Amino acid sequence: MSTAASSRRHAVPIALFGVAYALVTLATGNEYHQLILTLVPVWAVMGLSWNLFSGYSGLVSFGHAAFFGLGAYFVALAQVQWGMTPWIGIPIAGALGGLAGLIVGLPTFRLRGHYFALAMLAYPLALLYVFEWLGYQELTLPMEREHPAAFMQFADHRVYALLALAAMLASMWLTSVLERGRFGLVLTAMKQDEAAAEAAGIDPRAWKLRAIVLSGALAGAIGGFYAVVLLVVTPQAVFGMLVSSQALIVAMFGGVGTVWGPVIGAVVLVPLSELLHARLGNEIPGIQGVVYGVAIIAVILLAPDGVVWKLRDLRQRRASAANANVAPTAIVADDAPASARTIGPTLLEVSGVSIAFGGLKALDGVSLRVATGEILGIIGPNGAGKTTLFNALNGFLRPAAGSIVFDGREITGQPPHRICAAGVGRTFQVVRPFRRMTVFENVLAGAFVHEPDEIRARTIAVDALDQVGLRAIESVSAGGLSNRDLRLLEIARALAGRPKLLLLDETLAGLDTEGVEAVLAVVKRLAARGTTVVIIEHTMPAMVRLADRLVVLDHGAVLAEGAPEAITRNPDVIDAYLGKRWRTGDAVDR
Amino acid sequence: MDAAQYAENFLQALTAGLLTGAIYGLMCVGLSLIFGVMRVINFAQGDFMMLGMYAALYATAWLGGGPAAPWIAALLAGPMIFVVGVLSHRLLISRVTGLRSTALAADGHYAQLILTLGLALILQNGGLTVFGSAPVSIATPLSSSAWELGPLLGDRISVFVNQGQTVGAVIALLAVAAFVVLMNRSRLGKSLRAAADNPVAAIYMGIDVERAHRLAFGLGVAITAVGGGLLATVYPFQPYIGLEYVIVMYAGVVLGGLGSVTGAFAGGLVIGLVQQLSTLVLPNQLQNTAIFVVFLAVVLLRPQGLFGRAARRT
């Protein structure tokens, strides 16, 4: 698929919509209707701004009024105090919004879930009181009779509507470009499973910051424009709860994480609430808020992801019913015998690593060495610390003591995305795909580690899919895959990061015989191509066939290590893990 | 101003802080119950408090005056808002919480947050329609009388303790004590605590978790509503008042540590003190900004301690 062609395909509906909207605007004579036609794109841009951050990252912001209000007050104050025209003021308001995003994001991204949402709520409310205290209860933009157009003041109010429309189309175009590029892919992946994304080499903090800066810039700029349209700025109108809520609600109503969602939300809700307010505002003064409240409750109960996703899901269900009989994945031929591999110098050296959870010592001075090109198996009873060891190796857990040296570099305590970039890929005991993304997108998300260029990243992803034999189903949504294909998908995602070392955590768990063979074949082939593999596994016969060497963990410590044949005869290992039936020497042949 | 004047201002603010703090503490206990049992952030908590204030206002009028009417009305707000809370839970909130939420994205956290945001918008703006936008207040016979402590330090310092506020604070304390007894002694309290601790295990033990959640929600908003009724005798209010107090309450709950009743009360008390003491160094309009800053500082500086234990993401 060509990026240029697909970007043209998305630009056409946006352009058509823009032309239609402009025609409607030009044909509207009523000034009140012209104001509504201006407010629709204003709130659509606010929704797009919210969506750019919260929609893709999944972190709900209740505080977008902070950026909006700062922009509005900057434009108004700059004109009042320094006579600065909004033509210059609005871009600066955008920059200010972006800066505010950075300042808010830096500390607040330490929070998760509920706390993030609450903290975001506090920023605009704190600003609201500050601006009241500063004495800006009501700031009026001066009329510029000499050069009205130079100060963005027009007798014909349709000009405002057209300016707002231009801002909306630009925001839509920006969103659509970002959505289909690395930005959208990475944020969508993080939203679905942040830990898995981090293990695939994505730095969550850096991407969230990028998102909130962009989002804050959009909100700041449109806030500045809003000040120009209304000519009066009050703290409640620009920092108030309804501003943040409206941004969130138009986006959620239409559909989070989409280009059209916030626009649809604004097109439906803004005129509805404005017209009801005009008609019933005297008897029912709070009608606007009630409309938004009812709208958001209805959406949450009926279509939690918004109108656009509801439609998309319905369409997809029909489509997937049509091609339910996807061809089974090809079993990759076991063409390279394990013996062809060459074992090289030490790639990973773990010395004395300890991790404790409260009083429980999950790892107690574990030391082991992995040679380049080798397949090392890790076995041991449940709770022996196998997965904890992997979590320490890929940076999910910081060891309390000990060191981990990979490829000649100390990686102890580094964050997962950096360890991934250093060349350590991993899979998970319980599979963690990005379920709402296609197989190809899942793998592509992992391909940006060494390759910021999108076209080349795509090539890498295709290559990784080829290696595990999932190419045929690359456009299927990961949520619908079989266990075997999910296991292979995780391997492909890890491979896309071009790892030198692959950590496979119970990759064979829950597979039938045929599935085990398929995955084993893939792992052997990877090893034959030079990838070093450390694998945790309970299926001993498979392990004995696959691994060059076994390490046995028990109670967080290394109980034994050596060649598979020796390990299966080791009496300590038999007592601690294998059980008595391994005392009869024929077990290995099964 | 000399040192004695400063000392007097400080003592006066301290007294005011303790008296409003006790009421904030009661409001926080209600919120903490909901959050502790259901793990739901209720954005509409402040608006249920607002409903409690108006309920107390109308109940005072209905009781036809009398010296104790405002306090009785504040207590009556509890059962009234309990009914509203139980209905809100049954009709709306139960659809995105509890065992049904596991099917939703992020365990339904966002759905819950946003649903209660919608509820808050409807209550605020519906309140505007029903109650009007003019600020009102509940006058008590004791509102304008005060005890004078002192003169202290050779009659240079006198502290005035408002009698109306003192009665409110005492009622708040008694309500918290009654609630603690209810949670620790009664069967209802035990089932709420079990449902909070481990909903799935509680189901296996024969506890109706859905019902426990419904009662927790009703009880939680009712407790906050009583706090609101008491607060209404101190400050004027209007339909939009809820929003400020959402942050006040969350600040208290977060400060006190989650799931702990006494912690939530202590947190509310501290927030009351912060609010009043901040007037010594900040202009009056920035009282609430001071609370937000304290709130942000707490959530930012103790991010891991706030959910009880440090959980790493895997």
Side-chain angles (χ1 to χ4, degrees), chain B residues 97-154:
Chain B
T97 59
L99 301 173
R100 282 186 225 184
S101 67
T102 40
L104 298 167
D107 288 346
H109 285 325
Y110 298 131
Q112 293 153 12
L113 271 172
I114 289 155
L115 189 82
T116 59
L117 171 73
L119 197 58
L121 286 175
I122 293 176
L123 290 178
Q124 280 168 19
N125 295 291
L128 198 63
T129 305
V130 177
F131 306 128
S133 59
V136 288
S137 58
I138 301 176
T140 73
L142 298 177
S143 287
S144 46
S145 12
W147 289 296
E148 185 179 346
L149 295 186
L152 312 161
L153 282 183

Short mmCIF file of all heavy atoms in Angstrom, two decimals, chain B residues 97-154:
data_model
loop_
_atom_site.label_atom_id
_atom_site.label_comp_id
_atom_site.label_asym_id
_atom_site.label_seq_id
_atom_site.Cartn_x
_atom_site.Cartn_y
_atom_site.Cartn_z
N THR B 97 -20.14 -0.79 35.96
CA THR B 97 -19.23 -1.10 37.07
C THR B 97 -19.36 -2.57 37.44
O THR B 97 -20.10 -3.31 36.84
CB THR B 97 -19.58 -0.28 38.32
OG1 THR B 97 -20.92 -0.58 38.68
CG2 THR B 97 -19.42 1.18 38.08
N GLY B 98 -18.63 -2.90 38.48
CA GLY B 98 -18.73 -4.24 39.04
C GLY B 98 -18.32 -5.29 38.03
O GLY B 98 -17.41 -5.10 37.23
N LEU B 99 -19.03 -6.39 38.02
CA LEU B 99 -18.59 -7.52 37.22
C LEU B 99 -18.82 -7.27 35.73
O LEU B 99 -18.18 -7.88 34.90
CB LEU B 99 -19.33 -8.78 37.67
CG LEU B 99 -19.06 -9.07 39.14
CD1 LEU B 99 -19.92 -10.21 39.63
CD2 LEU B 99 -17.59 -9.39 39.36
N ARG B 100 -19.73 -6.36 35.42
CA ARG B 100 -19.97 -6.10 34.00
C ARG B 100 -18.83 -5.32 33.37
O ARG B 100 -18.67 -5.31 32.16
CB ARG B 100 -21.23 -5.26 33.83
CG ARG B 100 -22.47 -6.09 33.97
CD ARG B 100 -23.65 -5.24 33.64
NE ARG B 100 -24.68 -5.46 34.62
CZ ARG B 100 -25.87 -4.90 34.57
NH1 ARG B 100 -26.15 -4.08 33.59
NH2 ARG B 100 -26.75 -5.15 35.48
N SER B 101 -18.05 -4.61 34.20
CA SER B 101 -17.06 -3.71 33.64
C SER B 101 -15.88 -4.45 33.03
O SER B 101 -15.17 -3.89 32.22
CB SER B 101 -16.55 -2.77 34.73
OG SER B 101 -15.84 -3.50 35.68
N THR B 102 -15.68 -5.72 33.40
CA THR B 102 -14.48 -6.40 32.91
C THR B 102 -14.50 -6.54 31.40
O THR B 102 -13.47 -6.69 30.77
CB THR B 102 -14.34 -7.78 33.56
OG1 THR B 102 -15.64 -8.34 33.64
CG2 THR B 102 -13.72 -7.68 34.91
N ALA B 103 -15.70 -6.49 30.81
CA ALA B 103 -15.78 -6.63 29.35
C ALA B 103 -15.40 -5.34 28.65
O ALA B 103 -15.14 -5.34 27.46
CB ALA B 103 -17.19 -7.04 28.95
N LEU B 104 -15.36 -4.22 29.38
CA LEU B 104 -15.09 -2.94 28.74
C LEU B 104 -13.60 -2.64 28.73
O LEU B 104 -12.83 -3.22 29.48
CB LEU B 104 -15.82 -1.82 29.50
CG LEU B 104 -17.34 -1.93 29.52
CD1 LEU B 104 -17.92 -0.96 30.53
CD2 LEU B 104 -17.89 -1.64 28.14
N ALA B 105 -13.22 -1.70 27.87
CA ALA B 105 -11.82 -1.31 27.78
C ALA B 105 -11.35 -0.77 29.13
O ALA B 105 -12.11 -0.11 29.83
CB ALA B 105 -11.65 -0.24 26.70
N ALA B 106 -10.11 -1.07 29.49
CA ALA B 106 -9.50 -0.61 30.75
C ALA B 106 -10.42 -0.92 31.94
O ALA B 106 -10.59 -0.10 32.84
CB ALA B 106 -9.17 0.88 30.69
N ASP B 107 -11.04 -2.09 31.92
CA ASP B 107 -11.96 -2.49 32.99
C ASP B 107 -13.07 -1.48 33.22
O ASP B 107 -13.63 -1.39 34.30
CB ASP B 107 -11.21 -2.70 34.31
CG ASP B 107 -10.38 -3.97 34.26
OD1 ASP B 107 -10.60 -4.77 33.33
OD2 ASP B 107 -9.53 -4.16 35.13
N GLY B 108 -13.40 -0.73 32.21
CA GLY B 108 -14.52 0.19 32.33
C GLY B 108 -14.23 1.44 33.14
O GLY B 108 -15.15 2.21 33.41
N HIS B 109 -12.97 1.68 33.54
CA HIS B 109 -12.68 2.86 34.35
C HIS B 109 -13.13 4.13 33.66
O HIS B 109 -13.69 5.03 34.26
CB HIS B 109 -11.18 2.97 34.62
CG HIS B 109 -10.72 1.98 35.64
ND1 HIS B 109 -11.50 1.61 36.69
CD2 HIS B 109 -9.57 1.30 35.75
CE1 HIS B 109 -10.84 0.72 37.42
NE2 HIS B 109 -9.68 0.51 36.87
N TYR B 110 -12.82 4.22 32.36
CA TYR B 110 -13.14 5.46 31.66
C TYR B 110 -14.64 5.59 31.48
O TYR B 110 -15.19 6.67 31.60
CB TYR B 110 -12.40 5.50 30.33
CG TYR B 110 -10.93 5.49 30.53
CD1 TYR B 110 -10.10 4.64 29.84
CD2 TYR B 110 -10.37 6.33 31.50
CE1 TYR B 110 -8.73 4.62 30.07
CE2 TYR B 110 -9.02 6.31 31.74
CZ TYR B 110 -8.20 5.45 31.02
OH TYR B 110 -6.86 5.44 31.28
N ALA B 111 -15.28 4.46 31.20
CA ALA B 111 -16.73 4.50 31.05
C ALA B 111 -17.36 5.04 32.33
O ALA B 111 -18.26 5.87 32.30
CB ALA B 111 -17.25 3.11 30.72
N GLN B 112 -16.84 4.58 33.48
CA GLN B 112 -17.40 5.04 34.76
C GLN B 112 -17.15 6.52 34.98
O GLN B 112 -18.06 7.28 35.32
CB GLN B 112 -16.75 4.27 35.92
CG GLN B 112 -17.13 2.81 35.93
CD GLN B 112 -16.05 1.97 36.59
OE1 GLN B 112 -15.14 2.48 37.22
NE2 GLN B 112 -16.16 0.66 36.44
N LEU B 113 -15.89 6.92 34.75
CA LEU B 113 -15.55 8.33 34.93
C LEU B 113 -16.47 9.20 34.09
O LEU B 113 -17.01 10.21 34.56
CB LEU B 113 -14.12 8.57 34.41
CG LEU B 113 -12.97 8.41 35.35
CD1 LEU B 113 -11.68 8.51 34.59
CD2 LEU B 113 -13.03 9.52 36.37
N ILE B 114 -16.65 8.82 32.86
CA ILE B 114 -17.34 9.69 31.93
C ILE B 114 -18.84 9.63 32.18
O ILE B 114 -19.53 10.63 32.04
CB ILE B 114 -16.93 9.33 30.50
CG1 ILE B 114 -15.49 9.78 30.32
CG2 ILE B 114 -17.83 9.98 29.48
CD1 ILE B 114 -14.74 9.06 29.29
N LEU B 115 -19.31 8.48 32.61
CA LEU B 115 -20.73 8.40 32.96
C LEU B 115 -21.05 9.33 34.13
O LEU B 115 -22.03 10.07 34.10
CB LEU B 115 -21.09 6.96 33.33
CG LEU B 115 -22.57 6.72 33.51
CD1 LEU B 115 -23.22 6.51 32.16
CD2 LEU B 115 -22.82 5.53 34.40
N THR B 116 -20.18 9.30 35.14
CA THR B 116 -20.46 10.18 36.28
C THR B 116 -20.26 11.64 35.90
O THR B 116 -20.89 12.53 36.47
CB THR B 116 -19.61 9.83 37.52
OG1 THR B 116 -18.24 9.94 37.17
CG2 THR B 116 -19.92 8.45 38.01
N LEU B 117 -19.39 11.90 34.93
CA LEU B 117 -19.25 13.28 34.43
C LEU B 117 -20.57 13.73 33.81
O LEU B 117 -21.04 14.85 34.04
CB LEU B 117 -18.13 13.36 33.40
CG LEU B 117 -18.03 14.69 32.65
CD1 LEU B 117 -17.48 15.77 33.54
CD2 LEU B 117 -17.17 14.56 31.41
N GLY B 118 -21.18 12.84 33.00
CA GLY B 118 -22.47 13.17 32.40
C GLY B 118 -23.52 13.43 33.46
O GLY B 118 -24.30 14.38 33.39
N LEU B 119 -23.50 12.57 34.49
CA LEU B 119 -24.43 12.74 35.60
C LEU B 119 -24.21 14.10 36.27
O LEU B 119 -25.16 14.81 36.61
CB LEU B 119 -24.20 11.59 36.59
CG LEU B 119 -25.27 11.29 37.61
CD1 LEU B 119 -26.58 10.98 36.90
CD2 LEU B 119 -24.83 10.10 38.47
N ALA B 120 -22.93 14.45 36.46
CA ALA B 120 -22.61 15.73 37.09
C ALA B 120 -23.15 16.89 36.26
O ALA B 120 -23.75 17.83 36.80
CB ALA B 120 -21.09 15.88 37.25
N LEU B 121 -22.98 16.81 34.94
CA LEU B 121 -23.47 17.89 34.08
C LEU B 121 -24.98 18.02 34.20
O LEU B 121 -25.53 19.13 34.26
CB LEU B 121 -23.09 17.62 32.62
CG LEU B 121 -21.63 17.84 32.25
CD1 LEU B 121 -21.38 17.40 30.82
CD2 LEU B 121 -21.26 19.29 32.42
N ILE B 122 -25.67 16.87 34.22
CA ILE B 122 -27.13 16.92 34.29
C ILE B 122 -27.57 17.49 35.64
O ILE B 122 -28.47 18.34 35.71
CB ILE B 122 -27.72 15.51 34.07
CG1 ILE B 122 -27.45 15.07 32.64
CG2 ILE B 122 -29.23 15.51 34.35
CD1 ILE B 122 -27.89 13.68 32.34
N LEU B 123 -26.93 17.05 36.73
CA LEU B 123 -27.33 17.53 38.05
C LEU B 123 -27.07 19.03 38.19
O LEU B 123 -27.92 19.78 38.66
CB LEU B 123 -26.59 16.76 39.14
CG LEU B 123 -27.00 15.29 39.32
CD1 LEU B 123 -26.15 14.64 40.40
CD2 LEU B 123 -28.47 15.18 39.68
N GLN B 124 -25.88 19.46 37.74
CA GLN B 124 -25.55 20.89 37.84
C GLN B 124 -26.55 21.73 37.07
O GLN B 124 -27.10 22.72 37.57
CB GLN B 124 -24.18 21.17 37.22
CG GLN B 124 -23.01 20.85 38.08
CD GLN B 124 -21.72 20.87 37.28
OE1 GLN B 124 -21.65 21.44 36.19
NE2 GLN B 124 -20.69 20.26 37.82
N ASN B 125 -26.72 21.35 35.81
CA ASN B 125 -27.52 22.22 34.95
C ASN B 125 -29.00 22.03 35.18
O ASN B 125 -29.78 22.98 35.07
CB ASN B 125 -27.14 21.98 33.49
CG ASN B 125 -25.71 22.41 33.24
OD1 ASN B 125 -25.41 23.58 33.26
ND2 ASN B 125 -24.82 21.45 33.07
N GLY B 126 -29.39 20.81 35.53
CA GLY B 126 -30.76 20.59 35.94
C GLY B 126 -31.03 21.38 37.21
O GLY B 126 -32.10 21.99 37.38
N GLY B 127 -30.04 21.41 38.11
CA GLY B 127 -30.17 22.18 39.35
C GLY B 127 -30.38 23.66 39.07
O GLY B 127 -31.18 24.33 39.72
N LEU B 128 -29.67 24.14 38.06
CA LEU B 128 -29.82 25.54 37.67
C LEU B 128 -31.26 25.84 37.27
O LEU B 128 -31.82 26.88 37.60
CB LEU B 128 -28.89 25.78 36.48
CG LEU B 128 -28.54 27.22 36.13
CD1 LEU B 128 -27.78 27.86 37.26
CD2 LEU B 128 -27.69 27.24 34.86
N THR B 129 -31.85 24.89 36.55
CA THR B 129 -33.24 25.07 36.12
C THR B 129 -34.20 25.01 37.29
O THR B 129 -35.11 25.83 37.41
CB THR B 129 -33.60 23.96 35.11
OG1 THR B 129 -32.65 24.00 34.06
CG2 THR B 129 -35.00 24.17 34.54
N VAL B 130 -33.98 24.02 38.15
CA VAL B 130 -34.94 23.79 39.23
C VAL B 130 -34.76 24.79 40.37
O VAL B 130 -35.72 25.35 40.88
CB VAL B 130 -34.79 22.35 39.76
CG1 VAL B 130 -35.73 22.12 40.93
CG2 VAL B 130 -35.05 21.35 38.65
N PHE B 131 -33.49 25.02 40.76
CA PHE B 131 -33.25 25.81 41.96
C PHE B 131 -32.93 27.27 41.65
O PHE B 131 -32.92 28.10 42.55
CB PHE B 131 -32.08 25.23 42.77
CG PHE B 131 -32.24 23.78 43.10
CD1 PHE B 131 -31.23 22.86 42.81
CD2 PHE B 131 -33.39 23.30 43.72
CE1 PHE B 131 -31.37 21.52 43.12
CE2 PHE B 131 -33.53 21.97 44.03
CZ PHE B 131 -32.53 21.07 43.72
N GLY B 132 -32.61 27.58 40.39
CA GLY B 132 -32.23 28.95 40.06
C GLY B 132 -30.75 29.19 40.35
O GLY B 132 -30.11 28.40 41.04
N SER B 133 -30.21 30.30 39.80
CA SER B 133 -28.77 30.49 39.91
C SER B 133 -28.38 31.38 41.09
O SER B 133 -27.20 31.52 41.39
CB SER B 133 -28.23 31.11 38.61
OG SER B 133 -28.89 32.34 38.39
N ALA B 134 -29.35 31.99 41.75
CA ALA B 134 -29.00 32.90 42.85
C ALA B 134 -28.46 32.11 44.04
O ALA B 134 -29.04 31.11 44.44
CB ALA B 134 -30.23 33.69 43.26
N PRO B 135 -27.34 32.56 44.62
CA PRO B 135 -26.81 31.87 45.79
C PRO B 135 -27.79 31.97 46.97
O PRO B 135 -28.41 33.01 47.17
CB PRO B 135 -25.52 32.64 46.12
CG PRO B 135 -25.19 33.38 44.89
CD PRO B 135 -26.48 33.66 44.20
N VAL B 136 -27.94 30.89 47.69
CA VAL B 136 -28.80 30.88 48.88
C VAL B 136 -28.00 30.33 50.05
O VAL B 136 -26.89 29.81 49.87
CB VAL B 136 -30.05 29.98 48.66
CG1 VAL B 136 -31.02 30.64 47.70
CG2 VAL B 136 -29.65 28.62 48.15
N SER B 137 -28.55 30.47 51.24
CA SER B 137 -27.86 29.87 52.39
C SER B 137 -28.91 29.53 53.44
O SER B 137 -30.05 29.97 53.37
CB SER B 137 -26.83 30.84 52.96
OG SER B 137 -27.48 32.03 53.34
N ILE B 138 -28.52 28.72 54.39
CA ILE B 138 -29.42 28.33 55.47
C ILE B 138 -28.97 29.07 56.73
O ILE B 138 -27.84 28.88 57.19
CB ILE B 138 -29.38 26.82 55.71
CG1 ILE B 138 -29.79 26.08 54.43
CG2 ILE B 138 -30.30 26.44 56.86
CD1 ILE B 138 -29.68 24.57 54.55
N ALA B 139 -29.84 29.91 57.25
CA ALA B 139 -29.48 30.65 58.46
C ALA B 139 -29.83 29.80 59.68
O ALA B 139 -30.89 29.18 59.73
CB ALA B 139 -30.23 31.97 58.50
N THR B 140 -28.94 29.75 60.64
CA THR B 140 -29.26 29.07 61.88
C THR B 140 -29.31 30.12 62.98
O THR B 140 -28.68 31.18 62.85
CB THR B 140 -28.21 28.01 62.26
OG1 THR B 140 -27.05 28.70 62.71
CG2 THR B 140 -27.86 27.13 61.09
N PRO B 141 -30.02 29.82 64.05
CA PRO B 141 -30.08 30.80 65.14
C PRO B 141 -28.70 31.09 65.72
O PRO B 141 -28.48 32.14 66.32
CB PRO B 141 -30.99 30.15 66.18
CG PRO B 141 -31.52 28.91 65.58
CD PRO B 141 -30.81 28.63 64.32
N LEU B 142 -27.77 30.14 65.55
CA LEU B 142 -26.46 30.31 66.17
C LEU B 142 -25.42 30.87 65.20
O LEU B 142 -24.28 31.10 65.57
CB LEU B 142 -25.97 28.95 66.69
CG LEU B 142 -26.84 28.30 67.77
CD1 LEU B 142 -26.28 26.93 68.14
CD2 LEU B 142 -26.92 29.19 68.99
N SER B 143 -25.83 31.08 63.93
CA SER B 143 -24.85 31.47 62.91
C SER B 143 -24.06 32.69 63.29
O SER B 143 -22.88 32.83 62.98
CB SER B 143 -25.54 31.73 61.57
OG SER B 143 -25.96 30.52 61.01
N SER B 144 -24.73 33.63 63.98
CA SER B 144 -24.01 34.87 64.25
C SER B 144 -23.60 35.00 65.70
O SER B 144 -23.24 36.07 66.15
CB SER B 144 -24.86 36.07 63.81
OG SER B 144 -26.18 35.88 64.26
N SER B 145 -23.68 33.90 66.46
CA SER B 145 -23.15 34.01 67.82
C SER B 145 -21.85 33.22 67.93
O SER B 145 -21.66 32.22 67.24
CB SER B 145 -24.17 33.50 68.85
OG SER B 145 -25.20 32.81 68.24
N ALA B 146 -20.99 33.70 68.78
CA ALA B 146 -19.69 33.06 68.93
C ALA B 146 -19.29 33.06 70.39
O ALA B 146 -19.74 33.90 71.18
CB ALA B 146 -18.65 33.79 68.10
N TRP B 147 -18.49 32.04 70.73
CA TRP B 147 -17.86 32.06 72.04
C TRP B 147 -16.56 32.81 71.91
O TRP B 147 -15.85 32.66 70.91
CB TRP B 147 -17.57 30.62 72.50
CG TRP B 147 -18.82 29.85 72.86
CD1 TRP B 147 -19.69 30.12 73.86
CD2 TRP B 147 -19.30 28.69 72.19
NE1 TRP B 147 -20.69 29.20 73.89
CE2 TRP B 147 -20.48 28.29 72.88
CE3 TRP B 147 -18.85 27.92 71.11
CZ2 TRP B 147 -21.23 27.18 72.51
CZ3 TRP B 147 -19.58 26.82 70.75
CH2 TRP B 147 -20.77 26.44 71.42
N GLU B 148 -16.23 33.55 72.92
CA GLU B 148 -14.94 34.22 72.88
C GLU B 148 -13.98 33.46 73.78
O GLU B 148 -14.24 33.27 74.97
CB GLU B 148 -15.08 35.66 73.35
CG GLU B 148 -13.78 36.43 73.21
CD GLU B 148 -13.91 37.87 73.64
OE1 GLU B 148 -15.03 38.35 73.81
OE2 GLU B 148 -12.85 38.51 73.83
N LEU B 149 -12.89 32.99 73.18
CA LEU B 149 -11.84 32.35 73.97
C LEU B 149 -10.84 33.43 74.33
O LEU B 149 -10.31 34.10 73.46
CB LEU B 149 -11.15 31.25 73.16
CG LEU B 149 -11.98 30.04 72.76
CD1 LEU B 149 -11.08 29.00 72.11
CD2 LEU B 149 -12.67 29.43 73.97
N GLY B 150 -10.60 33.55 75.55
CA GLY B 150 -9.67 34.60 75.93
C GLY B 150 -10.41 35.70 76.68
O GLY B 150 -11.53 35.49 77.13
N PRO B 151 -9.88 36.84 76.84
CA PRO B 151 -8.59 37.23 76.26
C PRO B 151 -7.40 36.42 76.81
O PRO B 151 -7.37 36.13 78.01
CB PRO B 151 -8.47 38.70 76.63
CG PRO B 151 -9.42 38.90 77.76
CD PRO B 151 -10.45 37.85 77.70
N LEU B 152 -6.52 36.07 75.89
CA LEU B 152 -5.33 35.34 76.27
C LEU B 152 -4.14 36.29 76.29
O LEU B 152 -4.21 37.39 75.71
CB LEU B 152 -5.06 34.21 75.27
CG LEU B 152 -6.26 33.33 74.90
CD1 LEU B 152 -5.99 32.60 73.61
CD2 LEU B 152 -6.55 32.35 76.02
N LEU B 153 -3.05 35.84 76.82
CA LEU B 153 -1.80 36.60 76.82
C LEU B 153 -2.01 38.06 77.21
O LEU B 153 -1.73 38.98 76.44
CB LEU B 153 -1.14 36.58 75.43
CG LEU B 153 -0.39 35.32 75.03
CD1 LEU B 153 0.25 35.54 73.67
CD2 LEU B 153 0.66 34.95 76.07
N GLY B 154 -2.61 38.26 78.37
CA GLY B 154 -2.81 39.63 78.82
C GLY B 154 -3.71 40.41 77.88
O GLY B 154 -3.30 41.40 77.31
#
